[in-house]
Amino acid sequence: MNSVGEACTELKREYDQCFNRWFAEKFLKGDRSGDPCTETFRRYQRCVQKAIKEKDIPVDGVEFMGPNKDKPES
Amino acid sequence: MVKYFYCSGLLKSTWDQVCTAFWQRYPNPYSHHVLTEDIIFREVTPSNCLISRRLLTKTSRSPRWMERYLPKHMASSAYIIEDSIVDPQKRTMTTLTWNISHARLMSVEERCFYKVDPENGSWTEITREAWISSNVFGLSRAIQEFGLARFKTSVTKTMKGFEYVLAKMQGETPSRSLAETATERARETALAAKEKAKDLASHAQKKQFV
């Protein structure tokens, strides 16, 4: 899968590989021994956050789980 | 005015497998409309939950009668954010997905809850709710109908995509019959709703010229 920043796709793949392994083999099994992916995540984030700024994608200030207010049922 | 949608479904895989597949669902044969995928935030909380934010770019796929109401400079692809919380202790995952572009034209918010199927510990139950709204003067009903129809089709694709990725992870090929029947039914419902939406749209347009 491509990244929104064309130059970041390789870094994304590297991070995804590390994360998927950690997620299935450590995180889900309750192993809290720490995240082996911090370096590769940092490299990937540096690239993708730059691409987001350059493309003016409106992600800033969007609260986590933002629109999760009570909603009317129609 | 908001259109509300609710459905619940089962995946015949364990909650662990489904959550693992969740991060590997793109690309799949049913996701050609998804152009890019990025994790733009991720953290393990002090209570050992994984919170993540995923940014997706999707093709906009609006019908021509709707595109007329989009300003010409607006990109033909849409940006979507998906926030999620995975709790490996409680064995639940909650996701919230919404579009951060084109929102005045149509806003779709989807909340999903993944948990172990209470009837079968090796299966996963997914509960899905969506709120579809539009603020375009004179066309909001038609746009909401269109949005709802497209959402229902998306749900089928999402489940098929999941089944595909899960089967791949487990080294098999996905079973066709149940998925195909579900698709047919969803397609018929979606088609009926799309026709209704088109009707409403042309009615609204006629009214404007009276």
Side-chain angles (χ1 to χ4, degrees):
Chain A
M1 202 63 218
N2 290 334
S3 166
V4 73
E6 294 82 10
C8 312
T9 298
E10 223 11 81
L11 293 170
K12 168 189 147 60
R13 295 223 177 113
E14 217 181 282
Y15 167 68
D16 282 347
Q17 246 176 20
C18 181
F19 170 79
N20 288 328
R21 204 176 317 133
W22 169 82
F23 184 77
E25 296 173 11
K26 298 274 159 96
F27 180 74
L28 287 184
K29 302 203 162 130
D31 183 335
R32 304 193 189 197
S33 62
D35 185 1
C37 308
T38 32
E39 241 338 283
T40 150
F41 186 60
R42 209 170 294 157
R43 279 198 295 265
Y44 167 43
Q45 286 304 291
R46 249 196 311 256
C47 185
V48 80
Q49 297 295 346
K50 185 159 163 265
I52 286 172
K53 279 213 164 64
E54 287 172 354
K55 298 191 180 213
D56 243 329
I57 302 175
V59 298
D60 273 339
V62 183
E63 213 185 307
F64 188 73
M65 293 294 199
N68 194 28
K69 317 176 221 23
D70 274 349
K71 298 204 188 295
E73 289 185 32
S74 180
Chain B
M1 209 189 91
V2 172
K3 279 239 164 250
Y4 175 74
F5 171 87
Y6 170 89
C7 76
S8 140
L10 284 177
L11 281 171
K12 295 182 182 175
S13 294
T14 66
W15 182 85
D16 285 45
Q17 288 168 327
V18 171
C19 290
T20 305
F22 182 72
W23 301 115
Q24 301 176 47
R25 54 205 277 224
Y26 301 122
N28 69 68
Y30 309 97
S31 74
H32 294 301
H33 59 290
V34 181
L35 303 173
T36 72
E37 170 204 34
D38 285 287
I39 300 292
I40 63 173
F41 173 78
R42 181 169 268 157
E43 229 173 61
V44 178
T45 68
S47 54
N48 203 47
C49 290
L50 182 75
I51 60 178
S52 315
R53 171 165 284 180
R54 188 154 47 174
L55 172 70
L56 303 168
T57 321
K58 296 187 182 179
T59 56
S60 134
R61 301 165 297 150
S62 343
R64 233 166 324 147
W65 61 261
M66 219 170 107
E67 287 205 324
R68 262 147 99 217
Y69 298 88
L70 272 175
K72 293 245 168 4
H73 67 271
M74 199 168 253
S76 61
S77 51
Y79 296 119
I80 285 113
I81 282 187
E82 172 208 85
D83 284 350
S84 58
I85 305 174
V86 183
D87 188 335
Q89 289 86 218
K90 295 203 180 111
R91 281 200 140 43
T92 60
M93 176 167 71
T94 308
T95 71
L96 191 71
T97 308
W98 72 100
N99 54 306
I100 54 171
S101 67
H102 301 65
R104 246 171 284 140
L105 180 63
M106 180 172 72
S107 156
V108 180
E109 284 166 30
E110 176 202 66
R111 182 162 68 202
C112 295
F113 191 66
Y114 297 68
K115 69 181 216 249
V116 178
D117 179 11
E119 321 257 305
N120 184 332
S122 336
W123 292 0
T124 305
E125 182 185 293
I126 304 178
T127 321
R128 193 182 307 268
E129 292 178 285
W131 294 267
I132 297 155
S133 62
S134 170
N135 277 319
V136 177
F137 179 75
L139 273 185
S140 54
R141 253 187 89 201
I143 293 176
Q144 280 165 185
E145 291 289 352
F146 162 76
L148 184 61
R150 193 181 67 180
F151 185 80
K152 288 176 177 170
T153 315
S154 300
V155 172
T156 311
K157 282 182 173 183
T158 296
M159 295 301 269
K160 287 185 89 169
F162 248 121
E163 284 167 9
Y164 175 88
V165 173
L166 284 160
K168 239 177 86 181
M169 267 169 46
Q170 291 149 51
E172 334 151 356
T173 38
S175 112
R176 308 200 118 236
S177 48
L178 283 168
E180 298 298 1
T181 341
T183 312
E184 265 323 297
R185 242 179 275 132
R187 214 174 270 153
E188 285 159 24
T189 318
L191 201 54
K194 268 182 190 149
E195 289 305 301
K196 185 177 175 198
K198 245 169 103 175
D199 255 346
L200 283 168
S202 66
H203 260 288
Q205 281 165 357
K206 281 191 194 128
K207 268 198 183 151
Q208 286 179 8
F209 292 111
V210 164

